[in-house]
Amino acid sequence: MANKKQLMALVLSGLVGIAHAGEKEELLKLRNTTTNLIKQLVKSGVITDKMAEEMIKQAEADAGKQVAEAKEAPAKEAVPADEVRVAYVPDFVKDEIRQQVRSELREEVVGDVMAKAKNEQWGMPNALPDWIKRFKLSGDIRLRSQHEFMADDNTALSYFDYQSINDNGGVTNAGLDGFYNSTEDRQRFRERVRLGVDVNITEGLKAGVRLATGNQRDPVSTNQTLGNTGNKYDFTVDRAYLQYDAVNDDKFKWLTLSGGRIKNPWYTGGGEFSGGSEVVWDTDLSFEGFSGTLSHQLGESDSLMGTNRLNRSVFATAGAFPLQESGLSHDDKWLFGGQVGVDWGFANQDNLKVGLGYFDYVNIEAKPNTSASGTCDTNTPANNASRPEFMQGGNTVAVICNEGNRDSLASQTGYPAMYGLASDFNIVNLNASYDMALFAPYHARLSGDFAKNIGFDSAAVSKLLNGTVIDEQTNAWQIRADFGWPRAEVAGHWNVFAAYKRVERDAVLDAFTDSDFHLGGTNTKGWVIGGNYGLMKNTWLTGRWLTADMVTGPPFGVDVLQLDVNTQF
């Protein structure tokens, strides 16, 4: 029996020798695992950068001490001198060794090996074509209960719905649909479904397509209202683009080029708490056109962590977007924009981000009919092309053409049949946010958004309104505070927020601003409060209360309660 044990010790010593051959690889794996763990702790706000550096320095010091002690210790013989070395191991000894090793293997080790084999497709060469591996599928589903409460002092038929009037061919044809509902409370169940596919074409270049529910005519909402007598939902192309990303040796993305129907390229004060401010752009808005962003790191990166240690960079974005193309007019509508900003991280994990942008709309104003009658039936195609394709309401409007001669005694020239925007829009926009990690893992975040339309020309607007002078209402701003976990897609994570905003009549284009606050549009002011709570992984609840009133004009207050169940995959 003693000889068997000696033989077993010899075989196991040989196995240890083989393990030493891969010792360097295992040490590298262990080091990378530890480094990645520390990076995640820093990113989550559990520890600071300074604490991470101290942990790494202490680990290196302890390792050096242990190595020095090992060198000073006397070397031990791997095999005692009184043991006999043999070149042959009998079969019965091999069987005993196999049984002993097999019995000592833990189930979790076997499970790890099986999982690795499945993940790496051992024994299954070319199990899946390479092109399938380059596809990534993602999506989300949101179920919403929305309650809309009208203020008691609202007056019926007090505000025109210019989008409905344009769609119906005039005030007469629109009838009651030509006015906003301002007196009847409403309750709706709504659903949003989005499904995206990203494809890695080659290194740095990818293509993306995203489908979404919603009305094709509404660029700022992907909600589908339930209650359509069983009719199927619209499912349209929300995004379709090519994107090129260039990175440097530190994996820092210094250039991004996008084209097609793309996501919002501008910084809007958003972060992990939310999608950003919606004063200028609704979060559901996609942009058609082209954009490019240049970024530059400030300071050296951390050689161990592999990232810019203090996350400091500057960026510049430019874009050109066709808004409305007409085959009957050369005055197509465009949006040109640019933005510069800085992303400044601090040693205590706080972060400041600021963006200053300028957005110039071209050929956006109404062009009235210049014929003698001024009616639409004699209007030129070029004037028709100045009609906006979508309006939420709030901007100052001018009449493009009238309905034409009618038999009614109310008017010999007819009521307005088509409206357009009275003002030009050249918007200066400043966004800023400060994220504090003082209460980590909870974060406190303050953000602000200010926009001003410097394209408003009182004389030009008055001319379009036949001499009527209106006061200049061209400022918009919002302040917001968030507290809690940066993200709530994990069970038990939560955050709360509160914001106050004021969007004057001609501060921003009403077609692209927030579609939920006062049910969409400009000339509004009020509060938004709410929060998120994680139910389970990738599933969370959201509740929001939005209370808003008109800045100028007859009383028109709307309170909106939204309760959402969100999932993502």
Side-chain angles (χ1 to χ4, degrees):
M1 180 62 68
N3 290 335
K4 291 181 180 179
K5 291 182 177 180
Q6 290 174 348
L7 289 173
M8 185 178 296
L10 286 172
V11 175
L12 292 177
S13 296
L15 293 175
V16 172
I18 296 174
H20 283 306
E23 183 178 357
K24 183 177 180 180
E25 180 182 352
E26 293 301 322
L27 288 174
L28 288 174
K29 289 182 180 178
L30 178 60
R31 182 178 184 274
N32 290 335
T33 300
T34 305
T35 301
N36 289 332
L37 176 59
I38 294 175
K39 288 170 62 178
Q40 290 301 319
L41 291 174
V42 173
K43 184 177 180 181
S44 301
V46 177
I47 63 175
T48 65
D49 240 343
K50 184 177 180 180
M51 293 172 63
E53 288 184 41
E54 292 176 352
M55 291 173 62
I56 294 170
K57 289 179 180 178
Q58 184 62 44
E60 291 175 346
D62 291 344
K65 183 178 179 181
Q66 292 174 6
V67 170
E69 291 175 353
K71 289 181 178 180
E72 294 176 358
K76 296 182 179 180
E77 293 184 4
V79 180
D82 59 347
E83 290 187 5
V84 180
R85 299 178 182 270
V86 296
Y88 171 72
V89 180
D91 290 338
F92 73 91
V93 175
K94 293 180 181 179
D95 291 338
E96 287 191 13
I97 293 173
R98 291 192 188 99
Q99 293 297 328
Q100 184 173 346
V101 173
R102 186 178 295 116
S103 64
E104 292 178 354
L105 285 176
R106 297 181 179 180
E107 292 184 2
E108 56 267 26
V109 175
V110 177
D112 290 342
V113 173
M114 294 179 65
K116 185 175 182 180
K118 181 178 180 181
N119 183 55
E120 297 182 0
Q121 301 179 357
W122 294 358
M124 298 169 57
N126 300 321
L128 292 175
D130 180 67
W131 65 271
I132 292 181
K133 300 177 185 178
R134 292 186 281 113
F135 280 73
K136 179 182 178 181
L137 183 67
S138 62
D140 61 82
I141 296 177
R142 182 181 70 195
L143 303 180
R144 167 174 290 178
S145 175
Q146 179 164 312
H147 305 259
E148 302 162 9
F149 306 98
M150 303 297 163
D152 294 336
D153 59 348
N154 291 354
T155 303
L157 309 180
S158 55
Y159 286 92
F160 281 114
D161 184 344
Y162 296 111
Q163 180 68 38
S164 178
I165 292 173
N166 284 350
D167 290 343
N168 285 282
V171 172
T172 303
N173 291 337
L176 292 179
D177 290 337
F179 297 89
Y180 286 109
N181 169 35
S182 58
T183 56
E184 297 297 326
D185 294 346
R186 189 178 184 186
Q187 194 277 330
R188 290 185 283 175
F189 290 107
R190 315 188 82 185
E191 180 176 9
R192 182 184 71 183
V193 181
R194 299 186 297 191
L195 183 63
V197 178
D198 291 319
V199 185
N200 290 321
I201 298 175
T202 186
E203 183 177 358
L205 181 64
K206 73 175 183 179
V209 176
R210 188 174 80 176
L211 305 179
T213 50
N215 192 314
Q216 296 184 33
R217 291 287 305 279
D218 189 343
V220 291
S221 177
T222 51
N223 291 312
Q224 173 67 53
T225 300
L226 279 63
N228 296 283
T229 319
N231 289 336
K232 300 178 178 63
Y233 296 165
D234 292 330
F235 206 50
T236 57
V237 177
D238 182 43
R239 291 180 186 168
Y241 61 90
L242 288 176
Q243 179 174 311
Y244 174 75
D245 295 311
V247 298
N248 59 19
D249 294 337
D250 294 328
K251 306 301 180 183
F252 178 78
K253 189 185 297 183
W254 65 272
L255 174 64
T256 296
L257 301 174
S258 302
R261 187 172 175 86
I262 64 177
K263 67 179 181 180
N264 189 340
W266 318 112
Y267 171 66
T268 60
E272 291 185 299
F273 279 105
S274 67
S277 170
E278 297 183 275
V279 168
V280 182
W281 320 109
D282 187 278
T283 54
D284 282 331
L285 179 66
S286 294
F287 284 68
E288 294 180 303
F290 308 90
S291 73
T293 299
L294 276 171
S295 300
H296 177 68
Q297 284 178 302
L298 299 175
E300 297 180 356
S301 65
D302 188 323
S303 59
L304 178 62
M305 304 297 284
T307 59
N308 187 356
R309 180 179 298 178
L310 293 180
N311 188 32
R312 292 176 177 175
S313 61
V314 293
F315 62 90
T317 301
F321 310 97
L323 298 178
Q324 189 172 329
E325 193 276 334
S326 174
L328 301 176
S329 172
H330 65 277
D331 295 328
D332 295 337
K333 298 178 182 179
W334 282 81
L335 167 62
F336 299 97
Q339 185 183 59
V340 294
V342 60
D343 190 354
W344 194 267
F346 298 90
N348 61 357
Q349 298 300 301
D350 286 3
N351 182 264
L352 171 67
K353 192 169 185 178
V354 180
L356 177 63
Y358 177 73
F359 310 108
D360 182 9
Y361 291 88
V362 178
N363 295 323
I364 203 76
E365 310 99 303
K367 293 181 174 59
N369 187 300
T370 56
S371 65
S373 64
T375 57
C376 292
D377 47 27
T378 59
N379 193 22
T380 62
N383 295 95
N384 263 343
S386 69
R387 165 191 166 179
E389 290 190 344
F390 181 75
M391 292 187 291
Q392 293 191 93
N395 290 158
T396 303
V397 297
V399 177
I400 295 176
C401 58
N402 294 319
E403 293 177 348
N405 293 323
R406 297 165 49 240
D407 295 332
S408 170
L409 298 177
S411 174
Q412 293 183 348
T413 58
Y415 292 117
M418 189 180 298
Y419 287 93
L421 300 175
S423 173
D424 189 13
F425 287 84
N426 301 316
I427 301 171
V428 177
N429 184 214
L430 176 65
N431 279 282
S433 66
Y434 191 86
D435 191 337
M436 294 175 285
L438 178 64
F439 311 100
Y442 307 120
H443 283 234
R445 184 169 177 275
L446 299 175
S447 59
D449 186 1
F450 175 79
K452 182 174 182 61
N453 177 21
I454 62 175
F456 185 91
D457 185 331
S458 297
V461 171
S462 177
K463 182 178 180 180
L464 281 174
L465 300 180
N466 296 320
T468 301
V469 179
I470 64 169
D471 59 322
E472 182 176 328
Q473 294 279 330
T474 57
N475 294 324
W477 55 272
Q478 172 184 287
I479 55 173
R480 173 170 170 150
D482 297 78
F483 182 78
W485 292 85
R487 302 182 68 86
E489 292 90 345
V490 178
H493 286 198
W494 57 270
N495 56 59
V496 293
F497 56 85
Y500 181 84
K501 67 165 65 178
R502 177 187 173 98
V503 183
E504 295 177 351
R505 183 176 51 235
D506 294 307
V508 299
L509 198 70
D510 66 35
F512 294 155
T513 191
D514 191 347
S515 62
D516 294 317
F517 192 70
H518 203 273
L519 301 179
T522 63
N523 193 25
T524 59
K525 61 180 179 180
W527 290 87
V528 181
I529 59 174
N532 300 281
Y533 183 79
L535 296 177
M536 58 187 73
K537 185 178 180 180
N538 295 325
T539 305
W540 68 100
L541 294 176
T542 300
R544 293 203 304 169
W545 177 266
L546 306 92
T547 178
D549 293 285
M550 285 295 194
V551 175
T552 61
F556 185 8
V558 181
D559 293 342
V560 179
L561 174 63
Q562 296 177 336
L563 301 174
D564 302 340
V565 178
N566 308 276
T567 63
Q568 65 180 14
F569 53 89

